[in-house]
Every structure is written in structure tokens, then in C-alpha cells.
Amino acid sequence: MVDTCSICSTKTFHLTSLFVTDDGKKWRDSGLLKMVEVCKRIKIIKSVKKIPMICNPCIYKISKSFYNINNHKNHQDKRTVVCETIKSSDESKIPAVEENKNTDYIKEKSQLNKRPRNESHDNAIRKKLCQRNEEIIEPVIKQDLINNLDNDCLAKIFLYLPTIELFYIEQVCQRWKLVVQLAWQDTKKYIDNLYKNCNLLKQLHIEKIINRCGHHLNHLVLSKNCDSSIIKIIADNCHNLVRLELKFKTINENNFTRVFSRMAKLKVIKIEDNRDRFNTNDHITHILDSIPEGIEEIFFHSACNAFEHFNAIRLISLQHCEFGLDLMQKISLKKTIIYIDFEKSVLKSGLPLLSNLINLKHLNLDFVMGCTSEALVHITDECKNIKYLNLSACLGISNNALINIKKLINLESLYLQYLQNVNENVLTGIIENCKNLKCLNIAACSSIPGSVLDEINRLNKLEKLVITRLDNATDFMLIGFYNLKILRCSRCTNITDCGIMFVIQNCHNLEDLRVDETGVTDKSIHCAVEQTKLRKNNVVLQLVISLTMLKKIDDSINTSSFLKILSLP
């Protein structure tokens, strides 16, 4: 939250309160109040409406002034003591006057003689003080620990702060201004949505940041705070970029004329806008025309046919697009492609041509319109290296085509949710042949009988299992799992405490467990509390239960630091 400093009236994100409280009623000095009052010679009283705040540059200046005042005071006190000691030492050398002793002198001498003292010890101290007079009068060393660090170390510390704060830090002093320049040189990655207040950054601020550190960046991520006009600033400054991710509020195709021609090192580019509709390929053509030929990964929310000159491309992501045979033919010629993501796109034709990509490892057809049985058969016959396959909601695929999935023996992640054609033959073939599966999602596949579901525990490498909305799922299918990290069985009414408690007790890396609207009772909750108390791997278990059960649970039940109980709306 942006607030105003009570000292310099500067608006910034990071402010420190001059008052702190433990119970919300009694306020006390945070340690900075006294320093501000001494240095500014003012009296600060806590306001009912607004608590006095102070920014980081003011903290540094006031701390420096406060230590200077204290050191000066100690120096003056020390100098006074030393001078008095030296003076008394000089007076001791004056010869005593034996005549004309008045009574006052005798009285003063008699009083001095009454005090117990070690004359030999005093003389030694006086002699030592006289010999080392200059050393004793020197001021005390300042306890300014941060400025005792060298410039390189201080620059590393500054890199942990939000990038926008460097503009304020360089105004503190000349040395910090020099250190900030070193920090800019060490900035290799900038992500403008990395901090909570990133939406407060305007395009003008981001342009200033790019002008300062753009020559040193190799990874740049900009969120929707900018429009496509900033691409010209990026093109002028960021010549060493390897990865570029941009999400614009609006895109103007005229801003992309040969903007990437000087980015010879660029390997990954991701550009999207905020439009939900299917995008045309007009503006995306201008982008691709200037992209270096050595590009390896392309993420766009628009489709385009200009892929001919990308001979090293390895990854293509075209989401929410609409394209046909022409584009599929050009993609199928790129044998180097190993990753394809067509999520929520419309494919008019040409999907079977993907079978030419023999090195393909990742294929995402989630909610793709136009995915056919013929395409799946061709892909499973030729692309034997696929490790990730997502066919969620591809309703045009028959069960005979789904059986061919068993040919993908290297498969590690499989998503088949909402496919009613997944039957016992399909799942049995997957269990018997795809032994390397680590992730399986068969949510809402209601055609699978319970006897086949019970065989899923034979996949002993499984780490993520999603069986949401499966009425045939029982506790028996969960007995035998020891490596699960994620289990989601919401709305599986036949799953009870028996199966869930087995998973909690034996899967020590379990981090996500969803049992809302199942047959689970508070016994599983108590089991989760006791088991997470014994954890030594620092893995926190997030347990999702129904809202009704959450209301019945006593507040004191959640006593484990490795358990978080919640309910989804």
C-alpha cells in the first residue's frame, strides 16, 4: 500500500511505523521515535487517525545523524575528562609552598588526605594518559554496519528489494548512488508482477527501469500494465534477451516492425493480449517476421502461418486460436518440435499431420474443438516419445481410439477428464502398459466400473491422482499408494475414512488432499493432525473438506504446523 512519509512527504511502498503495539491498545516507541525527536528536535505524539510513518531513506539519514550526535557528545565528555586529568597531573609538579599557609589551604589539603587513594596507581594512569593523549581523544568508531560493507556486497543486498525502490535508494548519498549502478548491472531478470503492488507501476516506471538495466537483462516479463508501444523501448535497450514474455492491454501491429531484429540471442518469446475472443493473425505476422531464426519456443494467443524460417523451434503454444490445414502443414515440417499446446483452440483440419513430429514429448489438446479419433490413432502410432498427453473434454474421440493410448509406454502424465468413452478396456490397457505414469486425471469418467478402478493402485509411481465425481470409486483403490503427493477425490461418496487414513499415514509427501462431499468424517481430520506432527520433511498438507464439516471442527484441532484445513466455496 502506498503511503506518505511523515518526514519527507515522499509517497512509497515501504514505510515503517514510529509506534508499535502488542495488544492493539498500548502503543510504544518502535526504536525510531527517539531518534527522530533528537535529530529533528520535535515532539511526536501518536494520532488517533493516522500513525506517523517513515521511509527507508529517512531512516538512514536520521540514523546517521543520531549516531553522529551521540559520538560527538561522547567525544566531548572524553576530552573533558582527559583534559582535567592532564591539568591535575601538571599541578602535581608545582613545588609545595611551605610558608604563608592559610587555614583554607590547610583545610583543603586535610580533606583531600581523607580520601583513600593509591598514589602509585594514579601516577601510572596519569603518565599513560599523557603519553597517549592523541589516541584517547580520537572519536569513537561509528557503529554504521551497513556502510562497513563493500560495494559489491551492498549491491547484492539491494537486488533483494523491489526494483522500483532502487530509484529512491540512489538519492540517499553519493556512495549509494554508485552502488545502485552496480546493482543495475547485476540485474539479469526483471518480472514486474513479482511484488504485491505491481499493479501500481505505470508504463512510465517500467520504461525507466528498462532504460537503466535493459542492456544487462536476459529475462524480461511484463504484465498487463503496459501496451504494445513499450516494445520500441525494449528493442532499443534489451539486445541480450534470451526469454521475453509480454502481456499487453492492447496490441498495435505498427509497433512490431522489425523490433526483434537486434535480439540475436532470443530463444523464447511469449506474447498475449487481454482479448478473450479468437485473435486474427494480422498483427502476429508482423511479430514473426522480425523474430530471429534461432528461436526455440513460441507462445502466442494468435495463430499465424509464418513459421517457415524457424528451423530451430522446439516449442509452440497457440491457445484460444482458430487455424486449419495450412498452419498444421507448416508445423508438421518442423522435426525439432517437442512441445505443442493448442489449449481451447479450434482446429478445422490437419491434426493427424502431427504424427510427423516423431520427437514430440508434450501434447496439450485440452478443450480443443476438432480433435478426432483418426488424429489420435495416427499420433499414438508414430509419436512414441510422448510423456505428456492432455485430451480433456475432447468429446469426438471414440473408445476404440482411446485404447491406443496404451502404446505410449513412456507416458508420465495423462489427462482424460470428462471423457465418457473411457471404459474398462481403455483404463486396463493404460494400467498394464504405462508403468511410468506419475499423474492420472480421470475425473467424471463415469463409464469406468469399480472393479477396474480398484486396479489403479498397481501404478506404484503415481504421484497425482484425480478421481473427482466417480461414484464407483471405493477405499480399496487407495490401498497400496505410498508416493502420492496430490489426491483429489471430491464428490466420491463411497470413499470413507479407511482409504483416506491409509493415504495420510503412508504418503509422507502428501501436500494436497481434497475430500469434500465424500464419506469422510472427523476421524481422518484427527489422523491428519497426528501424522503431520511427525513430519520431518517440512511438507505442509493442505486438506480440503466440506463447509459443513469445517463448522463442526473444534478450533483447537488444527494444532499441527504442517497442516492447513480449509473449505472451498
Side-chain angles (χ1 to χ4, degrees), residues 420 442-451 453-454 466-477 488-496 516-519:
Q420 300 300 322
I442 51 174
C445 296
S446 56
S447 301
I448 306 175
S451 58
L453 289 175
D454 293 341
V466 181
I467 53 175
T468 306
R469 298 182 181 182
L470 291 184
D471 295 333
N472 296 328
T474 62
D475 293 329
F476 188 78
M477 67 177 296
R488 297 176 181 174
C489 51
S490 303
R491 301 186 182 183
C492 296
T493 54
N494 292 324
I495 290 182
T496 62
D516 51 305
E517 299 185 37
T518 62

Side-chain angles (χ1 to χ4, degrees), residues 376-515:
L376 181 61
V377 170
H378 281 81
I379 292 172
T380 53
D381 286 342
E382 303 296 334
C383 304
K384 301 296 185 179
N385 296 320
I386 292 181
K387 295 184 177 181
Y388 179 99
L389 179 62
N390 191 338
L391 300 174
S392 300
C394 294
L395 305 180
I397 303 178
S398 65
N399 54 2
N400 291 329
L402 290 171
I403 293 177
N404 279 16
I405 296 177
K406 65 182 180 181
K407 298 180 181 180
L408 305 176
I409 58 176
N410 296 315
L411 201 60
E412 296 182 357
S413 298
L414 178 62
Y415 292 80
L416 301 173
Q417 57 184 341
Y418 305 120
L419 295 184
Q420 300 300 322
N421 290 329
V422 176
N423 55 21
E424 57 180 324
N425 295 329
V426 174
L427 188 58
T428 301
I430 294 171
I431 294 173
E432 292 178 352
N433 295 276
C434 303
K435 298 296 185 179
N436 295 320
L437 266 182
K438 296 181 180 180
C439 174
L440 177 62
N441 187 339
I442 51 174
C445 296
S446 56
S447 301
I448 306 175
S451 58
V452 179
L453 289 175
D454 293 341
E455 299 294 324
I456 291 182
N457 53 22
R458 291 165 55 187
L459 299 171
N460 50 22
K461 294 184 179 181
L462 212 58
E463 297 180 355
K464 178 179 179 179
L465 177 62
V466 181
I467 53 175
T468 306
R469 298 182 181 182
L470 291 184
D471 295 333
N472 296 328
T474 62
D475 293 329
F476 188 78
M477 67 177 296
L478 301 179
I479 307 298
F481 284 118
Y482 296 92
N483 298 315
L484 282 181
K485 294 182 179 179
I486 299 175
L487 174 61
R488 297 176 181 174
C489 51
S490 303
R491 301 186 182 183
C492 296
T493 54
N494 292 324
I495 290 182
T496 62
D497 293 321
C498 180
I500 297 301
M501 290 174 65
F502 178 89
V503 173
I504 293 174
Q505 292 171 354
N506 294 278
C507 299
H508 304 295
N509 294 318
L510 189 66
E511 56 189 32
D512 187 351
L513 177 59
R514 301 189 180 184
V515 293

Side-chain angles (χ1 to χ4, degrees), residues 290-428:
S290 63
I291 292 179
E293 296 182 1
I295 196 76
E296 295 180 358
E297 302 178 13
I298 296 179
F299 297 80
F300 286 148
H301 275 198
S302 301
C304 180
N305 297 331
F307 283 97
E308 291 90 344
H309 62 284
F310 300 134
N311 297 321
I313 190 168
R314 300 173 60 248
L315 185 152
I316 295 179
S317 177
L318 301 174
Q319 300 181 1
H320 305 269
C321 303
E322 183 175 2
F323 46 89
L325 182 61
D326 292 341
L327 179 62
M328 297 304 300
Q329 287 177 340
K330 291 179 172 60
I331 293 177
S332 64
L333 297 176
K334 306 301 177 183
K335 304 296 184 180
T336 56
I337 294 179
I338 62 173
Y339 183 110
I340 288 182
D341 184 358
F342 292 156
E343 180 180 344
K344 297 180 181 179
S345 296
V346 176
L347 307 183
K348 296 180 180 179
S349 61
L351 189 60
L353 295 176
L354 294 182
S355 59
N356 295 330
L357 306 176
I358 58 177
N359 295 315
L360 191 63
K361 295 183 179 180
H362 183 111
L363 179 60
N364 184 7
L365 302 176
D366 184 19
F367 283 87
V368 169
M369 297 178 61
C371 185
T372 62
S373 300
E374 178 189 3
L376 181 61
V377 170
H378 281 81
I379 292 172
T380 53
D381 286 342
E382 303 296 334
C383 304
K384 301 296 185 179
N385 296 320
I386 292 181
K387 295 184 177 181
Y388 179 99
L389 179 62
N390 191 338
L391 300 174
S392 300
C394 294
L395 305 180
I397 303 178
S398 65
N399 54 2
N400 291 329
L402 290 171
I403 293 177
N404 279 16
I405 296 177
K406 65 182 180 181
K407 298 180 181 180
L408 305 176
I409 58 176
N410 296 315
L411 201 60
E412 296 182 357
S413 298
L414 178 62
Y415 292 80
L416 301 173
Q417 57 184 341
Y418 305 120
L419 295 184
Q420 300 300 322
N421 290 329
V422 176
N423 55 21
E424 57 180 324
N425 295 329
V426 174
L427 188 58
T428 301

Side-chain angles (χ1 to χ4, degrees), residues 192-209:
D192 73 336
N193 60 353
L194 187 61
Y195 304 99
K196 295 181 179 179
N197 297 313
C198 64
N199 291 330
L200 298 175
L201 291 179
K202 304 300 182 182
Q203 181 163 333
L204 179 62
H205 299 135
I206 298 176
E207 289 178 357
K208 290 175 62 178
I209 293 173

Side-chain angles (χ1 to χ4, degrees), residues 55-193:
C55 63
N56 292 341
C58 287
I59 291 176
Y60 171 76
K61 293 178 182 179
I62 289 176
S63 300
K64 188 173 182 180
S65 301
F66 182 77
Y67 283 119
N68 286 340
I69 292 173
N70 285 348
N71 290 333
H72 180 70
K73 183 178 178 181
N74 294 335
H75 168 60
Q76 292 295 334
D77 295 342
K78 198 75 174 179
R79 186 182 184 92
T80 303
V81 172
V82 173
C83 291
E84 290 178 353
T85 305
I86 295 173
K87 182 178 180 181
S88 61
S89 176
D90 293 338
E91 290 177 351
S92 64
K93 300 179 182 180
I94 300 176
V97 181
E98 295 181 359
E99 55 184 0
N100 299 328
K101 293 180 180 180
N102 54 31
T103 57
D104 294 336
Y105 175 76
I106 295 172
K107 183 178 180 180
E108 183 180 354
K109 185 177 180 179
S110 63
Q111 291 178 351
L112 291 172
N113 291 334
K114 291 181 180 180
R115 292 181 294 179
R117 59 191 303 171
N118 188 339
E119 294 182 359
S120 60
H121 180 64
D122 290 347
N123 292 334
I125 291 177
R126 291 170 183 169
K127 183 177 181 180
K128 187 175 182 179
L129 291 175
C130 292
Q131 291 176 351
R132 303 180 61 186
N133 183 25
E134 295 182 356
E135 297 181 8
I136 295 175
I137 296 179
E138 287 183 357
V140 181
I141 298 176
K142 298 178 181 179
Q143 298 299 316
D144 191 359
L145 299 181
I146 191 168
N147 277 321
N148 288 339
L149 300 174
D150 57 60
N151 291 350
D152 292 333
C153 185
L154 199 56
K156 295 293 184 183
I157 295 175
F158 287 168
L159 287 176
Y160 286 95
L161 299 174
T163 309
I164 192 65
E165 291 292 325
L166 295 180
F167 291 104
Y168 301 105
I169 292 175
E170 66 181 7
Q171 300 176 13
V172 174
C173 62
Q174 290 296 325
R175 187 199 172 205
W176 281 29
K177 184 176 182 180
L178 175 62
V179 173
V180 168
Q181 298 304 318
L182 296 177
W184 287 123
Q185 296 176 12
D186 291 337
T187 304
K188 304 299 181 183
K189 180 179 180 180
Y190 176 69
I191 304 176
D192 73 336
N193 60 353

